Each structure stands twice: as C-alpha cells, then as structure tokens.
Amino acid sequence: MSSLKFRLKRLFERIWVPIGAYGLLGVIAAAIGSMLADVIPSSLAFQIGAESIDAILNIMASSMLAVTTFSLSIMLSAFNTASSTATPRAFLLLKTDQTAQQVLASFIGAFIFSLVGIISLQIGLYGEGGRVILFGATLLVLSLIIINLVRWIGHLTDFGRLGDTLARVERAATDAMAARLAAPFLGGRPFIATVPTDAVPIRATDIGHVSFIGLTRLNKLAETHGASIYLEVLPGGFVTRGTPLAHVAGGPVGPDYDSLLQDALSCFEISADRSFDQDPRFGLIVMSEIASRALSPAVNDPGTGIDVIRRMTRVLSQWDTPADPEVTLSHLFVRGLRAEDALVDAFQAIARDGAALMEVQIAVQRSLLALTRLQPPVFGPAAVVQSQRALAHAADAMLIGADIDRLRQMSDDIATAARPAQGHIAQI
C-alpha cells in the first residue's frame, strides 16, 4: 500500500468526509435552482407556490435534525455496547462503518439542503422556473432519505451486537491475512539471516505502534543510494525511543548518508493505536480479547469463546506454504510473520482463561489439530507448543481425571500429526 493510498483510506474513514460531501451536494443542488431558473420554458413552469415548497422544506429540515440526533444516539449506544460486550479495540471497525456514515451524511446533507432552500425562497432568489427545479430536487432528496431510512432500520437490527462485532473483526483479520499471503515478505526479500556487521540502525524517535511503513519509498531510497535496508519491525510492532526500526547496509558516506537515514526514518509512521491495516496479528489479538471477556467469571459465556476459536481457525486456515514469493522491492529485506506468533496471539489467552471449561479446551485442541493436519509444515511445531500449554492449564484447573486424559490424547494426536515438521519454523 502506497503512502498516498494509505492516507486517502484513513481520510475517507473519517465520518466528517461523507458528511461534508453530502452537505456540499445539498448546497449545490439548492443553488442550481437559482442558476438555471431561466432555462425552464414558461410552458413547463408549473404553478408551484413558494409557500408549498417552503412548507415541505421546513418539514424536512425539522425532521432531519431530529432523525440525525436520534441516529447519533443509537451509534453511541452501539459503540458502548461493542466496547462492553466485545472489546474496545473493535470500536475502530464500528466507527468506520460505511453504511452508518453514508446514512448520517445523507440526513445532514438533506438538512443543509432544506436550510439553503428555505433561505433562498425567503429572499426571493428563485423565479417561477427556479421553483420547479427546487421542487424536483426536493423530491429526489426525499427519495434518498426514504431509501436510507430503510437501510438504516435494517442495519440497526445487528449494528453493535456481539455477533456483528465478531463478524467485522473476523473479516478485517481475514483481509489482512489474505493481503499478507499475497505478499509474504511485503514485496521484499526474505530476511532470514543476520544483519551485516557494518549496517547502521535507523532508530525510532517516538513511542507507539508502527501503523504504516512506506515500503515503496523506502526501496526507492535504498536503490538511489546503492544501499540495502533490513527491516527489524513489521506493521503493528510496538517500539520505544531508540528501538531499531531497520538497518542500512552500504550506501554513500558523509552527509548523504545522514540524509538517507533521515529520509528512511520518515517512511515509518508510529501512532498510539494499533491498526488492522498491514497487520494480520491484530485481528487475532482482538478476537482473543473478545473470547477472554466471554470466558471471564462475570460473563461466563463459553459459547462465544468457542465461536471465536472457530472463527480464528477459518482465518488461519488460509495460511499455506507459498512458492517463491515475488520480489518487487529488491533492496529491502523483510522478516516474515511466524506461525508461532500467530498461534500465541490466537490461543494462548483463551487456553488460560478457559482452563477449567472442558468444552473450551476441546475446541482449542480440535482447532490446533485441524490446522496441523491442514498444513503440518506451517502449524505443526507451534501447534504442539500451544497444545501442551493448554493441556497444562487444564490439568491445573480440572478435577476430573477422565477429562484430562481425553485432552491428553488429543494433544498426543497433534504431536503425531506434527511429527514430520518438527524443528521447522514457518513464516510468511
């Protein structure tokens, strides 16, 4: 993802952008009636009184203000529900919901259109032909409002509910994982060796999560200066001041080298919050948090925990052993995503928080067994580690020996399925 595309994506996720666009369209639509008043032939100009249009616009303005206020209160309630029943990290996905943004934007745009039309009628800006155009535009706006009201009512049946929030997180994690599988090393060369001893580090100057890396620009800098750049972090990684973000090997000497380091540092964006973009692990972490909340004694909802396990299994099942990845950024060396880290993000907290629940432990073991059988070289060694860790939690919390024996048998099945891939560390 280029830097411009990333910034535009972030910009259009902000709710004021569609609201401003609809509001501007409302102003333009109301102004067209005045600008094209003389274009309407007198034979087509209906006897539409200013009072009738003014009444319609007044009704529209007052109702849109009430509907917008009501919709905002519903959105805030949905945000609070998602934060309390799922996880506050899921709020990021609800906040950027396109349907909610478009509906609110159309309501506010209709409100602005009504205000502009009312003011224009009061000052006599429209002639007879202008009122015809305004009347037609008003009918179009009313049609848009009706359509969006129907969409909004249907959307509210699920918006902010736990199932809807889980589906959004799964979709975001699936998309991020698919993007990573399409470019296992983000277009660079696999970074599987050590950094050259003469490489100079690029150190972070802020504290936070790496939200974006301008890989294309970074590769262009390295190519221009005849250098190679070894990335030490991936999007989503947490860094502090002085943490090496990358190492630069080769390149110019003197002031030009300092300039290269400064330009390379500007390719890393660090923010306080973690993002789903370029970061498939974040979706797994968020789903794991939802399961942990459901498995807490206060909530006691093992069904949600099992549902999360199955969703994470679907996300991880996309992962296979890719062929030689296409290298489009030949001057960059990038570390891959390790299966060990992904399984830790997905299952470690669930196995701990559901230690005493037999049905949850069975779901964890079945998921690990399914992933191991699906791709032994990818998941085998890491699945064995997580399986044995989950078994240790269960043995410490459960009182019935037969249940522990059953889990131990499932853990042995995972070890057997993973045996051909022992000692292999998979990464993409």
Side-chain angles (χ1 to χ4, degrees), residues 74 78 84 90 94 102 109 111 114 194 199 232 236 270 296-297 309 370-371:
I74 291 178
S84 59
L94 293 177
Q102 292 173 3
F111 175 71
S114 303
T194 58
E232 293 286 358
I270 299 175
S296 65
I309 293 170
L371 291 173

Side-chain angles (χ1 to χ4, degrees), residues 42 59 108 132 136 139 142 155 247 275 294 334 337:
S42 57
I59 294 173
I108 296 178
V132 173
L139 293 181
L142 284 174
H155 194 63
H247 286 83
S275 170
V334 184
L337 177 67

Side-chain angles (χ1 to χ4, degrees), residues 180-185 188 190 319-327 378 427-428:
R180 178 59 61 86
L181 288 169
F185 298 94
W319 193 338
D320 57 4
T321 304
D324 293 335
E326 181 182 2
V327 177
V378 175
Q427 60 176 343
I428 57 171

Side-chain angles (χ1 to χ4, degrees), residues 37 39-49 127-133:
V39 177
I40 304 297
S42 57
S43 60
L44 296 178
F46 304 114
Q47 296 299 318
I48 300 176
E128 191 173 275
R131 289 200 299 270
V132 173
I133 296 177

Side-chain angles (χ1 to χ4, degrees), residues 134-197:
L134 180 62
F135 183 72
T138 302
L139 293 181
L140 290 176
V141 172
L142 284 174
S143 301
L144 175 65
I145 292 171
I146 293 172
I147 293 173
N148 281 326
L149 276 174
V150 174
R151 288 179 62 200
W152 189 225
I153 292 172
H155 194 63
L156 289 179
T157 57
D158 293 322
F159 188 58
R161 304 297 188 270
L162 181 58
D164 175 62
T165 304
L166 259 176
R168 291 172 186 271
V169 177
E170 180 187 0
R171 190 159 51 247
T174 300
D175 293 343
M177 183 66 73
R180 178 59 61 86
L181 288 169
F185 298 94
L186 303 178
R189 297 180 183 274
F191 184 5
I192 56 178
T194 58
V195 178
T197 56

Side-chain angles (χ1 to χ4, degrees), residues 319-359:
W319 193 338
D320 57 4
T321 304
D324 293 335
E326 181 182 2
V327 177
T328 58
L329 308 173
S330 58
H331 291 266
L332 299 184
F333 291 83
V334 184
R335 297 187 188 276
L337 177 67
R338 300 197 310 166
E340 178 183 359
D341 296 331
L343 292 189
V344 167
D345 296 333
F347 298 109
Q348 184 166 285
I350 297 177
R352 178 200 63 209
D353 296 329
L357 300 174
M358 181 62 177
E359 60 272 31

Side-chain angles (χ1 to χ4, degrees), residues 246-403:
H247 286 83
V248 179
V253 296
D256 289 341
Y257 200 83
D258 295 334
S259 176
L260 170 60
L261 295 180
Q262 290 298 323
D263 291 341
L265 178 61
S266 66
C267 295
F268 294 84
E269 294 193 11
I270 299 175
S271 61
D273 298 320
R274 202 165 177 176
S275 170
F276 291 94
D277 299 318
Q278 292 187 331
D279 186 7
R281 291 181 60 187
F282 186 49
L284 298 174
I285 292 172
V286 173
M287 283 196 286
S288 179
E289 289 179 352
I290 296 174
S292 292
R293 184 186 291 271
L295 295 174
S296 65
V299 179
N300 192 23
D301 181 15
T304 296
I306 295 172
D307 185 27
V308 169
I309 293 170
R310 291 169 179 168
R311 290 176 184 272
M312 289 194 292
T313 305
R314 284 198 293 267
V315 173
L316 290 169
S317 65
Q318 303 176 84
W319 193 338
D320 57 4
T321 304
D324 293 335
E326 181 182 2
V327 177
T328 58
L329 308 173
S330 58
H331 291 266
L332 299 184
F333 291 83
V334 184
R335 297 187 188 276
L337 177 67
R338 300 197 310 166
E340 178 183 359
D341 296 331
L343 292 189
V344 167
D345 296 333
F347 298 109
Q348 184 166 285
I350 297 177
R352 178 200 63 209
D353 296 329
L357 300 174
M358 181 62 177
E359 60 272 31
V360 174
Q361 290 293 336
I362 289 177
V364 170
Q365 298 289 348
R366 283 178 175 172
S367 177
L368 293 172
L369 180 59
L371 291 173
T372 302
R373 286 175 174 172
L374 185 65
Q375 288 292 339
V378 175
F379 296 109
V384 170
V385 174
Q386 290 304 312
S387 173
Q388 293 175 350
R389 186 180 182 89
L391 178 61
H393 282 299
D396 187 58
M398 291 183 181
L399 301 177
I400 301 177
D403 291 344

